[in-house]
Amino acid sequence: MKRVLIAALTLVMLTVGALAVSADFRRAVYTMIQKFLPIEMQLTYQVDGEPLEWLPDGYSDHYVPNGFEMDDVQKFERAENFLHVYSSKETEESYTVRCSIIQPGQQSLFDNEHTVYETVKVGEADGVLGTSTDEHGKNVYTLSWEHRGITHTVMGNIPYDEIMKIAEGIR
């Protein structure tokens, strides 16, 4: 047992020494580790008390930027959630709004390889704003927050200030 422990300790020390000296070796180890780690974060919700059964009456997005129209084909509305997709033919910009009551154990996935996150305020709630770029180099924003048992997400390749106006118009 003592020999195995000494051999393992020696191997660890040699690896640490190699990592400290060789940038190429550090990069190879980092790349190897990265391949085995997920490229997304996972959020699991817990609900205190009873979850909502349905969204409040009239709960929707009430602000739509000029020039945007809802795509009725992609529109999805139920008592417990909705998804609205909007686009502008003039600017080729689009965004989606999704709201859903929180269910115990519900999970959300977030890309953490291509997106930078920061905390922002959405009304009185804390939200998470993700910023990434599309294939044309244009910013894409994903704003997510929870308020009163409802998850909210606004995502699109539209200006940040419009994302915030849309978010604040959900009620």
Side-chain angles (χ1 to χ4, degrees), residues 28 78 121 123:
R78 293 182 22 191
K121 278 289 197 192

Side-chain angles (χ1 to χ4, degrees), residues 56-85:
D57 287 339
Y59 204 81
S60 188
D61 49 323
H62 295 280
Y63 171 77
V64 178
N66 288 332
F68 283 83
E69 295 180 10
M70 186 184 300
D71 182 346
D72 289 325
V73 174
Q74 296 186 59
K75 177 177 162 181
F76 180 81
E77 293 182 340
R78 293 182 22 191
E80 63 276 359
N81 57 27
F82 70 81
L83 171 72
H84 294 163
V85 179

Side-chain angles (χ1 to χ4, degrees), residues 110-123:
F110 298 92
D111 173 12
N112 65 356
E113 182 178 26
H114 303 101
T115 307
V116 176
Y117 293 96
E118 63 182 290
T119 302
V120 296
K121 278 289 197 192
V122 181

Side-chain angles (χ1 to χ4, degrees), residues 64-157:
V64 178
N66 288 332
F68 283 83
E69 295 180 10
M70 186 184 300
D71 182 346
D72 289 325
V73 174
Q74 296 186 59
K75 177 177 162 181
F76 180 81
E77 293 182 340
R78 293 182 22 191
E80 63 276 359
N81 57 27
F82 70 81
L83 171 72
H84 294 163
V85 179
Y86 296 87
S87 62
S88 169
K89 293 179 181 162
E90 296 173 12
T91 64
E92 297 185 10
E93 295 173 321
S94 64
Y95 70 94
T96 62
V97 178
R98 182 184 63 191
C99 293
S100 178
I101 59 173
I102 297 173
Q103 296 296 321
Q106 177 180 332
Q107 296 180 339
S108 295
L109 299 175
F110 298 92
D111 173 12
N112 65 356
E113 182 178 26
H114 303 101
T115 307
V116 176
Y117 293 96
E118 63 182 290
T119 302
V120 296
K121 278 289 197 192
V122 181
E124 56 190 60
D126 289 328
V128 176
L129 176 70
T131 306
S132 58
T133 55
D134 63 16
E135 63 275 2
H136 305 293
K138 184 169 177 141
N139 281 344
V140 176
Y141 298 103
T142 303
L143 177 60
S144 299
W145 73 102
E146 179 276 327
H147 186 64
R148 296 185 179 164
I150 302 170
T151 63
H152 305 77
T153 303
V154 179
M155 181 174 74
N157 63 347

